[in-house]
């Protein structure tokens, strides 16, 4: 499943949830340096993250405690999958080939990666 990509501000909020766990918006606000964002702005962004499936909530009286619905690792994996789907015609081979051609990964590093994969399968 490919998730929507987080904006920089949304990623900043998610990083705080991934680092600190479940929080009320007021608690989230405390993790910001001055000048802090306005409570209503932060609350709106948290609700958008929930609508987009990144956060869930548990109700406590009239307020909600929000929590991440996926780990940072899971988000990273879905982001990589989206890039490969959108820019490499859903071909992981094309993506790796592009990295080799653009010298972002050397042939020796590629051989090392293949060896690691083979070792993990045996």
């Amino acid at each position: 499943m490919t998730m929507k990509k987080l904006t920089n501000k949304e990623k900043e909020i998610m990083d705080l949830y991934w680092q600190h766990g479940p929080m009320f918006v007021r608690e989230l606000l405390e993790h910001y340096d001055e000048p802090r964002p306005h409570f209503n702005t932060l609350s709106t962004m948290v609700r958008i993250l929930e609508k987009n499936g990144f956060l869930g909530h548990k109700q406590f009286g009239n307020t909600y405690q929000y929590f991440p619905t996926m780990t940072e690792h899971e988000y990273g994996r879905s982001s990589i999958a989206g890039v490969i789907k959108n820019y490499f015609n859903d071909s992981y081979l094309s993506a790796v080939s592009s990295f080799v051609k653009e010298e972002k990964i050397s042939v020796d590093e590629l051989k090392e990666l293949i060896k690691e994969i083979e070792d993990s399968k045996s």
Side-chain angles (χ1 to χ4, degrees), residues 27-76:
E27 294 172 315
L28 177 64
L29 194 57
E30 292 171 11
H31 291 286
Y32 280 87
D33 294 329
E34 294 292 342
R36 292 183 173 143
H38 191 275
F39 176 86
N40 290 343
T41 302
L42 198 54
S43 182
T44 298
M45 292 185 72
V46 165
R47 285 193 310 275
I48 290 169
L49 285 166
E50 182 179 32
K51 179 180 160 241
N52 290 333
F54 293 102
L55 294 174
H57 76 264
K58 186 174 178 182
Q59 188 168 355
F60 290 89
N62 293 332
T63 189
Y64 297 111
Q65 183 184 54
Y66 294 91
F67 57 88
T69 58
M70 67 181 62
T71 65
E72 187 172 13
H73 179 74
E74 290 167 333
Y75 172 70

Side-chain angles (χ1 to χ4, degrees), residues 96 98-106 109:
V96 172
S98 176
F99 289 132
V100 171
K101 287 177 187 171
E102 293 179 19
E103 299 178 7
K104 303 292 182 190
I105 185 172
S106 70
E109 289 171 319

Side-chain angles (χ1 to χ4, degrees), residues 82-104:
V83 167
I84 290 173
K85 179 181 179 187
N86 293 327
Y87 298 102
F88 296 99
N89 204 22
D90 214 10
S91 168
Y92 284 79
L93 181 60
S94 292
V96 172
S97 175
S98 176
F99 289 132
V100 171
K101 287 177 187 171
E102 293 179 19
E103 299 178 7
K104 303 292 182 190

